[in-house]
Structure formats: C-alpha cells, structure tokens
Amino acid sequence: MSSSPVRTSDPAPAAAATAGTAPHGRPEDERVPLGRAVLFGAQHVLSMYGGVVAVPLIVGTAAGLPTAEVGILVASALLVSGLTTLLQSLGLPLFGAKLPLVQGTTFGAVSTMLVIIADGGGLPAVFGAVIVAGLVGVVLAPVFSRLQPLFPPVVTGTIIAAMGISLLPVAAGWIVGPQDSPGAGSALNLGLAAATLAAVLVLSRIRALSGVAILLGIVVGTVVAALAGAADFSSVGQRAALALPHPFAFGTPTFHLAAIIPMIVVIIVTLMETMANLFAVTKVVGTDLPPRRLAAGLRADMAATAVAPLLNSFPPTAFAQNIGLISVTRVRSRYTVAAGGGLLVLLGLVPLLGRIVASVPTPVLGGAGIVLFGSVAAAGISTIGEAPRRGDSDTGHDTMIVAVSLALAVMPIAVPALYASLPPLVAMVLGSGVSAAAFSAVALNLLLKGRGGIAPRIHDHP
C-alpha cells in the first residue's frame, strides 16, 4: 500500500476546533494540552478495557486459579497493555511506530493457550511459548515490513473492513450482556445501548463536544443505567487500592516444543493483523508508513510479546476499535493515545481505578461500540474506494477479491464450528475473520492480477 502524502494544511473537520491539526509536520505529532490528552485518552481506555480484561479472565479461569490470582492476571494485562501503548505511540530507537495505536491483549492466542493448559503445561508452559514466539516475531518483523507491495488499496481496504465487521459481534455481545446474568438480552439492555448510541450521535453534532462524544455518551449511558438500577458500583471500594507487579508470580516459564510451534503460528497471524492495523491507522490519520516505520511498529509489538510473560501477561496486539475512535473524533495526536497508555498503567497499578471502569455496564459499551466498530468497517470501504481514484483499479477483479475475502471473514462469525473438522492450526487461522480475509485478499490479488501490488513504490526514509 502506498503512503498517503503528509497533509500539512488539512481542512479541519469538526473536532479540529477541539484538538486542532498540526500546523507543520505530521498530524499525529500534534501536541495537545495535558488535560485534553487525558480526557481523550480516557475514551480510548473505555473503548478497549473489556477486550483487555476478558483474556486474563478466560485463561485464568481455565487454569483453575483462585479469584485473587485471576486478579493478578487482569492487573498485569492492563499494565503491559499500557506500557506497550506507550512504546508504540512514543517510540524508542527501532521500536514503536510513533502512531496513535492502542495495544491490548490479543484474543487470537486464547484458544492455543487453553490447549496448552489442557495438555497439562499450565501457565508456565504458556508463558514460555509466548516468550519464544515473541522473539521469533522480532526477527520476522523487518521481513513483514517489506511485504507492503502485497497490500494495494483493495487488499488493505478489504482487511480493514473485515476487522470492523469482525468486531461488531463483540458490540452485540456487550449489548446482550453476560449470558449467566438475569438481564441477558433484556429490553433494558437494548434500551441502555440505544440511549448510549443516541447520546453519542447527538453529542457528535455539537462542535465543542464532538471530540469527546464517545466518552460523554458512555457517561450518559452509565447514568441512565444507574437510574434504572442496572449499574453496580458496590465492588469499587473492595480490596486493595494499590498493587505492585510481581514478576514470575506463577512460576518460572517452561519451554515445550509442542507448545512453542502453535504459538509461533499465532504470532505470525498476529503480525498480519498488527500490520493491517498500522495500515488502517495511517489511513485514518492521513500520514505515511514507510517500511522502516512499519518494521518499528511490528518490532515493538513482538518485543512486548516476548517481555509480557515476565510480568505475568499474554501477547499484546493493536486494537482496531481504537482506530474507529480516532475516525469518529478526528483526534489524531499520538500523545492522546500515550495518555491512554499512562491511564492503563495506572489501572494496572491501582486496581481501584480498574474497578471503577469495570463497573460501566456492558450494554453501555455496546452502544458506543456500534459507532466505533462500524467506523472501522467504513474506513475499509473508503480505502477500497481509493483504487479507482488512483488509477490502480481493475473493477472486475477487485470485486472478486472483496466479495470472496469478506465472505470468508463473515462465515466463521455466523457459524463458529465451520472449520471444526480441519486440523487445529488451519482451523485457528481460518476461524479468525481478519486472518482469513487477509490471506484471501493477498492471495487473490496475486492470482487475479499477477503481481504483488500496483501502488507506487514507497521510498524509505527516517
């Protein structure tokens, strides 16, 4: 995918009055006041918090851990997500794309981790496999960064659209609520989601508030839920307010080839998804993504994966829902995302804050998720539409690429057991809508067009 030219005089959209655009240089490098950065960062945390804590809850429960130890996994996941977000947004030499990209614990590794636990390896074997796979990912990062010619607009747009579509069931699940709760799927839950969605839409029309419409919409939805007796804050004051990390809290990692090989496959899929997210965020921000920058972003993701087990956490990856938030608010500064990373670190160190965020009813998050996740899909459709304008479109073949790839993305969502009869590794790759769409779009583009990419070559530069 070719880079979009850096816009130095972008016509400011609605949120520009709130956050502005960088008068010189790249839009993601714009500095914003600390108070606004924290406010915008809080929106990012609210939109992705549930996704971060779900993985340690699932894995910890499968491992038979007591509640207190599951709490350690949750706090560790928040801490690592925050540190990785800071690395990705602020950057270090060779590590971090310096883009507004939020990192959180990936769902893609859950099934493999559960298999490792079921085979008797426990968390030490999981952590050992993640460490090795992360180091392999660091080595592979520059190789993947040179695959950009395989990702013209029709391919990247299809992958981004698949990301948004794959996230919509998450929003629906939030609206329904926990299946074991008495109010699951109730009219009240639907009403709370509708109230939140309506609040977001109304607030987005107010110029002065459009940049924080998602956050304020969640606040409005939570207030409505509290008035309806559907919000429970009783657990906020329970347990310790501060908790420091304990490295290797679950024992020294162990290394087993049977666990490492499938985890490496997971990491390769994660590299593809992170690359798609990097393409998506540069599209939304309106900036460039030369190979060196792409490699730094992938390398940060993989380095964090290798280090995460030392702090009792699991592989992190870029979160697409936060790209949707950037698309909605048009707040493109990476420093707002860095503020969100700082808040995640605090949530990991101060469980009291995490319990406050966790008390937001899931139907409220689901109502906001409709806008966030739908925006990701819309960004993908917009990217697909770029091809004709750039003269690199082959309408018949492009239609076939999009049709087949999106179908492969949707089918495992509609029928989760679709690939149950296939070998586990194949089923894992095809069962992920994003990875299935990515493999399909790249392969069909090569097959139907006979070339890896038709966008202009990107010249690397610092």
Side-chain angles (χ1 to χ4, degrees):
M1 176 181 176
S2 67
S3 62
S4 299
V6 179
R7 293 197 292 255
T8 56
S9 57
D10 195 0
T18 304
T21 54
H24 302 288
R26 304 180 302 193
E28 67 270 25
D29 292 334
E30 178 213 351
R31 301 275 183 168
V32 297
L34 179 61
R36 286 182 180 173
V38 171
L39 192 61
F40 295 139
Q43 287 191 123
H44 282 289
V45 171
L46 284 170
S47 69
M48 54 84 75
Y49 181 89
V52 172
V53 302
V55 174
L57 287 174
I58 293 170
V59 176
T61 302
L65 300 180
T67 301
E69 293 187 0
V70 173
I72 293 174
L73 288 179
V74 171
S76 299
L78 291 166
L79 176 63
V80 170
S81 296
L83 293 173
T84 311
T85 299
L86 288 170
L87 176 61
Q88 195 70 272
S89 56
L90 299 180
L92 291 173
L94 300 179
F95 294 90
K98 296 185 179 179
L99 284 165
L101 198 65
V102 177
Q103 302 278 141
T105 312
T106 178
F107 270 96
V110 169
S111 59
T112 300
M113 292 191 291
L114 294 184
V115 170
I116 295 172
I117 291 171
D119 287 344
L123 286 180
V126 169
F127 289 146
V130 171
I131 290 172
V132 175
L135 293 175
V136 171
V138 172
V139 175
L140 292 178
V143 177
F144 271 72
S145 72
R146 294 293 171 180
L147 299 180
Q148 271 187 321
L150 298 178
F151 293 85
V154 67
V155 173
T156 56
T158 300
I159 297 172
I160 294 166
M163 286 163 47
I165 292 170
S166 297
L167 286 168
L168 288 174
V170 176
W174 286 345
I175 294 171
V176 170
Q179 294 295 328
D180 57 352
S181 67
S186 66
L188 176 59
N189 284 7
L190 293 173
L192 291 175
T196 304
L197 174 60
V200 171
L201 295 176
V202 170
L203 291 166
S204 67
R205 297 292 298 167
I206 302 174
R207 186 178 182 86
L209 300 178
S210 61
V212 290
I214 299 292
L215 175 61
L216 294 180
I218 291 174
V219 171
V220 170
T222 302
V223 171
V224 173
L227 294 175
D232 182 11
F233 295 94
S234 60
S235 63
V236 170
Q238 297 176 0
R239 301 182 183 177
L242 178 67
L244 297 178
H246 299 282
F248 302 117
F250 299 93
T252 304
T254 58
F255 303 92
H256 306 281
L257 190 61
I260 292 170
I261 291 177
M263 191 61 69
I264 290 175
V265 175
V266 170
I267 289 305
I268 291 174
V269 174
T270 301
L271 275 168
M272 289 194 66
E273 294 187 356
T274 299
M275 187 158 59
N277 278 298
L278 285 163
F279 286 140
V281 76
T282 51
K283 161 65 181 174
V284 169
V285 170
T287 189
D288 61 344
L289 189 65
R292 184 178 299 179
R293 191 178 201 186
L294 176 57
L298 296 175
R299 197 179 289 115
D301 200 37
M302 294 297 102
T305 295
V307 172
L310 308 183
L311 296 174
N312 315 301
S313 192
F314 308 114
T317 190
F319 267 33
Q321 53 261 51
N322 295 89
I323 299 172
L325 180 59
I326 295 170
S327 178
V328 171
T329 64
R330 302 299 296 163
V331 179
R332 300 174 291 180
S333 171
R334 58 191 174 97
Y335 298 106
T336 63
V337 165
L343 290 174
L344 285 169
V345 171
L346 285 177
L347 290 174
L349 297 176
V350 185
L352 174 65
L353 299 178
R355 291 194 291 271
I356 294 174
V357 175
S359 297
V360 176
T362 58
V364 172
L365 295 176
I370 293 174
V371 178
L372 295 177
F373 305 159
S375 296
V376 176
I381 295 170
S382 175
T383 302
I384 294 170
E386 280 189 2
R389 295 195 297 271
R390 296 164 67 157
D392 53 6
S393 174
D394 183 340
T395 305
H397 289 156
D398 285 358
T399 300
M400 191 70 68
I401 293 169
V402 175
V404 173
S405 301
L406 290 186
L408 291 175
V410 171
M411 287 194 300
I413 298 174
V415 185
L418 180 63
Y419 302 115
S421 62
L422 298 180
L425 293 181
V426 178
M428 179 190 68
V429 173
L430 294 179
S432 166
V434 176
S435 61
F439 281 117
S440 171
V442 171
L444 288 176
N445 185 63
L446 284 169
L447 177 65
L448 298 177
K449 296 184 175 181
R451 48 190 168 175
I454 42 186
R457 176 179 175 83
I458 298 176
H459 298 286
D460 200 358
H461 55 78

